[in-house]
Amino acid sequence: MSNAAAPEATRLVGMIGFRDDPDGIITAAETVRDEGYEKWDCHTPYPVHGLDAAMGLKDTPMAYICLIAGGIGAGAAMLMQWWMSVVDYPVRIGGKPLFSWPAFVPITFEFFVLFAALATMGGLFVLCKLGRWHSPLHDTGVMEQVTSRRFGVVLQADDEKFTEDGAKALLEKAGCVDIQPLIEFVEEEA
Amino acid sequence: MDQVETTTPDAPAAESGGSGKLKTIALALIALGGVLSLLAYMDEGGKTRFGFAYLLGFLFCWAIVLGSLFFVALQHVTNSVWSVVVRRVAEMLAAPIWVLALLFIPLLAFALLNKDFGIFPWMRAEKDALINHKAPYLNDTFFLIRTVAFFVIWIAFAFFFVRGSVRQDEGGEGRVKGTKRMRNVSGPFLIIFGLTATFAAFDWVMSLEPHWFSTIYGVYVFSGMFLSALAAITIAVLYLRQNGTLGFVNANHLYSLGGLLFAFTCFWAYIAFSQFMLIWYGNLPEETVYYVKRIKNGWMPITLAVVFLRFILPFFLLLARGAKMDPKRLMGVSVLVLVGQLVDLYWLVMPAQGDGPVLGWQELGPTALFTGVLLLYVGVFLGKHKAVAAGDPLFEKSRDFHL
């Protein structure tokens, strides 16, 4: 959003602080985690090993999504082939039974993989909250920094523990520099 | 990231204790297996039965040793960092390939000297038309030449890789050069390995039933071989980790080993099913005879046991992410995989005798004996060398490995 159209109002959405190296972001994350914040996030230019544990993130449900979808795919494939070759268009091939399951295994396997892969991709989109059109971070210059060289910790204003001074103090305690409020421009409704 | 507080182990594992117990177990197995083997051999009517049991025991140890050599070369060719801390364990299991060459001599002598009740039917004087047709490949001289060639090649490369790694322990400037040389040799070796392992499987196992053929057979034997080697490496790593020698092996290393075990469990299933389905679908008598033999005459329970032990049980036991890092679970699954390998080899070898499954102490003697020999070798190796490739230039990086 450009500044040309003068905004009518602003809203504080959070507080950001930076660290300059991956080891720093780990200690910073541990500090914030131990403080009991719930709505906060780390932004890094590349995946940092060990950050999940330092942030206290719970295990992802992705494995279950993948397994269940794969199971549904395999079941559907077996059912489809049974229906085709036993019910809808029975043809006796090579003197084998109509329901010759070994011949169906390759398709069943492929369906397992297909369903599991698509569900994993879709599940990832949902769990990452992709499809959200806008993030307040985009209005500030920080996105450019945390995608190229710096490591940012963002405390969201809608967390129960959030106060402007408290957040600032916590980020300082976490060893962050360049601490700044994240401001969102709100166009007032007519 | 936090520095892991670990010291580089300087002393051989034996000095920090642990290999004494190993040697005791090894000697007990050798004594037990030796007595059982001797009794089975003396049994007048049981010469052929003993020959098959000997082959079973040989193949079991051969698979672990050659699979470990493949593991070592694989880590070099992929330039792996994570595996440097566990590579010495694989090298220690790959080193005794020359012992297996010695163990193969009695089998060879037995097969060549007892042609009429020996274990390879194509060696018999009376040959039918099909075997005569295959005679340019399946004849005593060429068989002997191939066997010698396989062992010479494997021993040379095992010597090269183990020696190269042990030499790095002394430190010095040549370490980087040594690693580079091993990297360069590993690629060509893997091609040679693929060919020799395939033809060894054809010669030593598939030719027990010389009328039958399957082009995927070498891959099938390889999949079981690499699985059993991975299981043996995992067991050895967990054992050395528990007694402190490999104390720095962390969950990330274990996860990599568990992941490989899991992946090759699926690989085995893929190969085994590919072989079965094409033969079942084609339904040609000359091919189906192999499976018919293994379904009728009381063999069906063994066939199902192979499927469960090799695929279904390890697959579900290792499916979860946490399972691949849990030392107890990994140990259990590794033992299961080794049992599965033994049952699979039994399923491959024994039906060639013709009747229903027979299992008695006569079958187990050589397996116990050779496993004991392998363990004894490992005990001696640990007494002489370090249990970890601490001289590898990538050792520190590997110790601090994170997924």
Side-chain angles (χ1 to χ4, degrees):
Chain A
M1 219 171 284
S2 74
N3 283 347
E8 309 265 332
T10 58
R11 185 164 66 91
L12 180 69
V13 290
M15 190 72 75
I16 188 167
F18 294 97
R19 297 287 305 235
D20 287 319
D21 58 304
D23 289 354
I25 193 80
I26 296 269
T27 40
E30 282 165 350
T31 314
V32 178
R33 174 196 67 193
D34 295 342
E35 203 72 20
Y37 264 76
E38 277 174 10
K39 292 183 176 171
W40 64 287
D41 207 352
C42 291
H43 297 270
T44 60
Y46 53 82
V48 174
H49 293 310
L51 192 57
D52 305 26
M55 286 179 70
L57 293 180
K58 275 181 252 149
D59 273 356
T60 161
M62 200 55 115
Y64 297 99
I65 296 176
C66 182
L67 183 67
I68 290 166
I72 292 171
M78 221 14 135
L79 202 66
M80 176 188 80
Q81 292 172 93
W82 165 81
W83 181 79
M84 286 171 168
S85 44
V86 177
V87 180
D88 191 45
Y89 205 91
V91 177
R92 185 75 63 181
I93 300 166
K96 291 186 167 61
L98 288 175
F99 183 71
S100 290
W101 66 266
F104 302 160
V105 167
I107 305 290
T108 306
F109 170 72
E110 296 297 347
F111 261 64
F112 188 105
V113 175
L114 178 71
F115 272 55
L118 289 178
T120 303
M121 200 178 73
L124 184 74
F125 281 7
V126 172
L127 291 178
C128 290
K129 299 184 181 122
L130 266 182
R132 201 165 51 160
W133 302 119
H134 173 71
S135 160
L137 276 178
H138 294 158
D139 286 346
T140 61
V142 301
M143 221 20 151
E144 186 257 328
Q145 295 184 49
V146 296
T147 50
S148 62
R149 60 190 180 279
R150 303 186 89 182
F151 302 80
V153 184
V154 173
L155 306 179
Q156 284 169 228
D158 51 357
D159 190 282
E160 278 175 17
K161 294 200 165 187
F162 187 89
T163 58
E164 205 171 334
D165 295 334
K168 204 173 260 178
L170 177 58
L171 287 174
E172 267 165 21
K173 188 178 153 200
C176 292
V177 293
D178 272 356
I179 298 165
Q180 46 190 278
L182 292 170
I183 310 268
E184 186 178 31
F185 302 109
V186 188
E187 282 173 49
E188 244 168 49
E189 285 176 37
Chain B
M1 236 155 280
D2 309 87
Q3 205 60 45
V4 188
E5 276 304 319
T6 39
T7 48
T8 307
D10 288 322
E15 284 168 31
S16 52
S19 86
K21 205 170 111 199
L22 201 66
K23 279 184 195 161
T24 317
I25 298 172
L27 289 174
L29 270 173
I30 290 173
L32 178 76
V35 170
L36 287 181
S37 302
L38 205 62
L39 285 175
Y41 184 70
M42 308 271 264
D43 189 5
E44 262 312 307
K47 286 268 191 303
T48 311
R49 192 179 176 187
F50 178 69
F52 276 97
Y54 195 103
L55 182 63
L56 177 71
F58 169 81
L59 289 172
F60 181 67
C61 291
W62 166 74
I64 292 174
V65 170
L66 192 61
S68 297
L69 184 58
F70 172 78
F71 181 89
V72 173
L74 186 67
Q75 303 316 318
H76 281 304
V77 84
T78 53
N79 222 339
S80 289
V81 171
W82 74 269
S83 61
V84 173
V85 292
V86 298
R87 212 188 57 226
R88 177 58 54 80
V89 173
E91 286 160 0
M92 155 184 107
L93 286 168
I97 186 81
W98 62 270
V99 178
L100 285 166
L102 294 182
L103 291 178
F104 198 77
I105 293 173
L107 186 72
L108 208 56
F110 176 81
L112 289 171
L113 295 176
N114 301 288
K115 289 193 168 183
D116 286 331
F117 61 100
I119 51 178
F120 296 108
W122 53 267
M123 285 185 177
R124 287 181 193 143
E126 295 167 37
K127 296 181 165 98
D128 58 33
L130 268 177
I131 293 179
N132 265 329
H133 182 70
K134 294 180 182 183
Y137 182 83
L138 286 180
N139 61 70
D140 295 356
T141 322
F142 195 22
F143 180 82
L144 201 62
I145 292 172
R146 284 195 306 267
T147 299
V148 171
F150 295 152
F151 276 116
V152 167
I153 290 168
W154 295 333
I155 289 169
F157 281 102
F159 183 78
F160 170 79
F161 284 117
V162 177
R163 183 72 188 284
S165 177
V166 167
R167 210 180 252 167
Q168 289 180 325
D169 289 354
E170 296 157 13
E173 290 296 305
R175 293 188 306 157
V176 177
K177 220 175 176 181
T179 293
K180 276 188 180 154
R181 199 164 47 229
M182 287 192 272
R183 298 272 193 270
N184 290 338
V185 172
S186 57
F189 168 68
L190 285 176
I191 296 171
I192 296 168
F193 166 85
L195 291 170
T196 49
T198 302
F199 281 99
F202 288 166
D203 285 2
W204 301 344
V205 202
M206 198 164 90
S207 83
L208 292 170
E209 288 159 90
H211 290 154
W212 183 79
F213 53 90
S214 164
T215 44
I216 206 172
Y217 198 82
V219 187
Y220 181 89
V221 171
F222 159 76
S223 67
M225 172 200 291
F226 192 48
L227 260 179
S228 69
L230 278 172
I233 292 166
T234 308
I235 290 172
V237 166
L238 288 170
Y239 173 75
L240 290 169
R241 181 175 181 258
Q242 205 176 14
N243 78 16
T245 317
L246 289 181
F248 44 79
V249 169
N250 62 36
N252 301 289
H253 300 117
L254 293 183
Y255 182 83
S256 306
L257 281 171
L260 274 174
L261 263 179
F262 181 69
F264 275 86
T265 295
C266 300
F267 181 75
W268 178 86
Y270 191 94
I271 300 300
F273 188 75
S274 298
Q275 178 174 282
F276 169 74
M277 199 196 76
L278 289 184
I279 289 175
W280 170 83
Y281 209 94
N283 211 9
L284 301 170
E286 65 197 53
E287 290 176 350
T288 50
V289 59
Y290 192 80
Y291 285 100
V292 169
K293 218 184 221 174
R294 282 160 179 77
I295 286 170
K296 297 198 165 153
N297 246 339
W299 277 98
M300 195 57 187
I302 311 277
T303 305
L304 290 176
V306 171
V307 176
F308 268 88
L309 288 169
R310 287 239 95 144
F311 177 62
I312 295 175
L313 285 177
F315 179 84
F316 285 105
L317 285 172
L318 284 178
L319 186 59
R321 183 165 173 265
K324 302 187 193 77
M325 302 185 198
D326 177 9
K328 272 196 193 127
R329 177 74 66 96
L330 267 184
M331 185 60 119
V333 174
S334 298
V335 172
L336 192 73
V337 166
L338 284 182
V339 173
Q341 164 78 351
L342 204 53
V343 176
D344 190 11
L345 287 174
Y346 182 85
W347 181 84
L348 288 174
V349 168
M350 294 300 179
Q353 288 188 80
D355 301 318
V358 279
L359 181 62
W361 55 268
Q362 289 93 334
E363 269 67 41
L364 297 174
T367 307
L369 175 64
F370 302 156
T371 311
V373 171
L374 203 59
L375 281 178
L376 185 66
Y377 188 95
V378 166
V380 171
F381 187 97
L382 282 176
K384 276 203 285 192
H385 306 289
K386 291 178 190 171
V388 62
D392 191 297
L394 289 169
F395 173 73
E396 276 82 16
K397 210 175 160 193
S398 174
R399 193 189 51 196
D400 301 336
F401 169 75
H402 277 270
L403 276 172

